[in-house]
Amino acid sequence: MMVLGVYLTFRVLDFPDMTVDGSFTLGAAVAARMIFEGYDPWLATALAITCGVVAGCITGFLHTKLKIAPLLAGILMMLALYSINLRIMGRSMLSLLRMDTIYTDVMALGIPEKLAVIALGVTAVLLIGHLIYTFLQTEIGMAIRATGDNQQMIRSLGVNTDNTKIIGLALANALVALSGSLVAQYQSYADIGMGIGMIAVGLASVIIGEVILGDKTLRRAIIAVLLGSIIYRAVIAFVMRMGLPTTDLKLFTAVLVVIAMSSPIIKEKLSPHRVKPKESGQRAVNI
């Protein structure tokens, strides 16, 4: 779900949103604090999603109304969320051991713990993936997609691109916050640093999926994003089993992103069927 949020901002909106690192922790912090205080875990998860919407709206407001550059707006919101998340949790780490979570409710149906996590996760991802696919084909969804493709064109048709950006950012950060809340409940704690590097993870998953499956259609792009997230986690698990120190995990992620982003160029350079320009008797002129 976090990767779907990154896909919405980076690919659909063409907006480099750095808020992801903060909104992921925000979702975890809100859900963990609510559960710690004795509230229903489903209510806690819903509130985490709402807080993600607010974070995305503020980022959109900074960019559209205050005319702050997209990258800087996301960075500023990410920095602000660090202090906000600390205030929400009241400490750097909040434990949920021996407390009921949404996974506890699923296990109450007689499903083993590991299967409960997988069942809930797969169900949520498939449902949200379908909802995102359906939403992006609605009138508002098409306007959001057009805003990322060509702002001037869609603005000339009377669409308020400020509103489409804010809606897109709100939806994306809601998904990221939902992901953070589910991760916190799965691992039974929320940590202030758990969101660091999430934007790189999401971007790596998006690029890996697009390289392998492609993004010619909307449905294919969403499936590619989900597939890329699974492949990325599988690769990380494999290299960890091979003995990669946990301290080098961020470095490996960065290298993986570079390889994924440069793979089309490398493939083109190495392709034996690459069409070469015809030789001409005239010397080319560089302009």
Side-chain angles (χ1 to χ4, degrees), residues 33 57 65 77 120 124 128 163 168 176 200 206 228 256 282:
R33 186 56 187 265
C57 288
K65 305 304 180 183
M77 192 60 200
L120 184 60
I128 291 176
N163 291 341
V176 175
V206 170
L256 190 62
Q282 298 179 350

Side-chain angles (χ1 to χ4, degrees), residues 45-154:
T45 304
L47 184 59
I49 297 173
T50 305
C51 291
V53 170
V54 174
C57 288
I58 295 176
T59 302
F61 178 83
L62 293 177
H63 169 61
T64 59
K65 305 304 180 183
L66 301 184
K67 304 304 178 184
I68 299 176
L71 186 61
L72 183 56
I75 292 175
L76 290 174
M77 192 60 200
M78 177 184 67
L79 292 175
L81 285 174
Y82 185 87
S83 297
I84 293 172
N85 293 333
L86 275 176
R87 283 187 172 274
I88 292 174
M89 291 192 295
R91 65 201 74 173
S92 60
M93 197 272 285
L94 190 61
S95 176
L96 298 178
L97 289 176
R98 295 183 297 277
M99 294 185 179
D100 291 341
T101 63
I102 58 176
Y103 300 106
T104 307
D105 293 342
V106 177
M107 287 186 289
L109 300 176
I111 303 176
E113 181 178 0
K114 290 185 178 180
L115 291 180
V117 173
I118 294 174
L120 184 60
V122 171
T123 302
V125 169
L126 292 179
L127 177 61
I128 291 176
H130 177 71
L131 291 176
I132 292 297
Y133 172 74
T134 304
F135 171 75
L136 290 178
Q137 294 185 97
T138 62
E139 184 176 349
I140 298 177
M142 293 291 288
I144 292 174
R145 294 165 63 187
T147 300
D149 289 337
N150 192 326
Q151 289 190 51
Q152 294 181 349
M153 181 273 294
I154 194 64

Side-chain angles (χ1 to χ4, degrees), residues 202-270:
L203 188 58
S205 302
V206 170
I207 295 172
I208 290 172
E210 290 178 348
V211 168
I212 294 177
L213 198 60
D215 58 348
K216 293 182 180 180
T217 64
L218 177 60
R219 177 178 296 176
R220 191 167 183 172
I222 293 177
I223 295 174
V225 167
L226 299 178
L227 178 64
S229 64
I230 296 173
I231 294 175
Y232 170 80
R233 286 300 177 186
V235 171
I236 291 298
F238 176 76
V239 297
M240 292 291 287
R241 286 182 177 272
M242 294 295 293
L244 179 73
T246 55
T247 53
D248 295 339
L249 188 57
K250 300 298 183 184
L251 174 62
F252 178 80
T253 299
V255 173
L256 190 62
V257 172
V258 172
I259 294 174
M261 294 187 70
S262 59
S263 59
I265 298 176
I266 297 174
K267 184 178 179 181
E268 180 183 357
K269 295 291 184 182
L270 298 178

Side-chain angles (χ1 to χ4, degrees), residues 1-17 20 128-129 131-137 140-142 144-149 164-176 199 202-203 206 210 218 221-222 225:
M1 286 168 283
M2 183 272 297
V3 177
L4 282 173
V6 173
Y7 167 75
L8 285 176
T9 53
F10 272 83
R11 283 293 185 259
V12 177
L13 268 181
D14 194 23
F15 191 104
D17 185 22
V20 169
I128 291 176
L131 291 176
I132 292 297
Y133 172 74
T134 304
F135 171 75
L136 290 178
Q137 294 185 97
I140 298 177
M142 293 291 288
I144 292 174
R145 294 165 63 187
T147 300
D149 289 337
T164 56
K165 287 181 180 180
I166 292 175
I167 293 173
L169 289 169
L171 179 59
N173 282 280
L175 293 176
V176 175
I199 187 64
L203 188 58
V206 170
E210 290 178 348
L218 177 60
I222 293 177
V225 167

